[in-house]
Amino acid sequence: MAMEYTKEVMDHFMNPRNVGEIEDANAIGEVGNARCGDIMRMYLKIEDNIIKDIKFKTFGCGSAVATSSKATELIKGKSIKEAAKLKNEDVVKALGGLPDVKIHCSVLAEQAIKAALLNYCKNNNLNVEETLGESFSANCSSCEE
Ligand code: FES
């Protein structure tokens, strides 16, 4: 099977953006990938409902690194409602595509961001629907798991 990676994927894999931890993060999300067992942790610094800073750490593969890097770029500076709408397909599209067998890796970023946003609501006693939008679902957008 052909395993072609786009230039954008390679760029984000070789030079991932926003890697690390945020010491005073006020939202943290950690998820494991049901398909491969890899782990992803997202740190968010949210102020006035805006994602002021975001960093990630992963024990995932290159595709997980690239999609997480791109995902952090896509939501940094956005409102948490907008960030809550990010789908793994959006990230894959922004990277110019991923090989089919690697699509499951992009789910990690979406789920870790959602887990962090839920963590933010919980830490601040916020109503999830009001804070993240009525259509918010903690489940990943492209799988039934
Ligand atoms: Fe596990 Fe890619 S193989 S995240």
Side-chain angles (χ1 to χ4, degrees), residues 33 36 38 60-61 63-64 102 104-105 108:
N33 195 317
C36 61
D38 287 338
C61 68
S63 297
K102 286 289 172 186
H104 75 274
C105 312
L108 272 182

Side-chain angles (χ1 to χ4, degrees), residues 42-114:
M42 282 277 171
Y43 299 84
L44 269 58
K45 176 86 185 155
I46 300 167
E47 275 167 32
D48 299 328
N49 287 335
I50 301 291
I51 297 178
K52 293 277 180 194
D53 201 6
I54 176 165
K55 290 202 192 304
F56 76 94
K57 266 190 165 175
T58 186
F59 293 101
C61 68
S63 297
V65 171
T67 47
S68 304
S69 168
K70 190 73 197 177
T72 60
E73 261 191 4
L74 290 173
I75 67 167
K76 193 169 174 177
K78 295 250 170 84
S79 70
I80 51 177
K81 261 196 183 134
E82 278 176 89
K85 287 191 215 141
L86 185 80
K87 295 191 168 92
N88 74 312
E89 290 100 327
D90 303 331
V91 181
V92 171
K93 211 165 148 196
L95 285 169
L98 264 185
D100 281 354
V101 293
K102 286 289 172 186
I103 295 292
H104 75 274
C105 312
S106 65
V107 167
L108 272 182
E110 177 192 322
Q111 287 198 300
I113 289 167
K114 285 178 165 178

Side-chain angles (χ1 to χ4, degrees), residues 24-29 42 44-51 79-81 112-128 131-132:
D24 58 345
N26 53 2
I28 297 176
M42 282 277 171
L44 269 58
K45 176 86 185 155
I46 300 167
E47 275 167 32
D48 299 328
N49 287 335
I50 301 291
I51 297 178
S79 70
I80 51 177
K81 261 196 183 134
I113 289 167
K114 285 178 165 178
L117 293 173
L118 276 178
N119 176 248
Y120 178 73
C121 292
K122 202 173 144 212
N123 291 345
N124 296 286
N125 282 325
L126 298 170
N127 177 287
V128 173
T131 313
L132 302 178

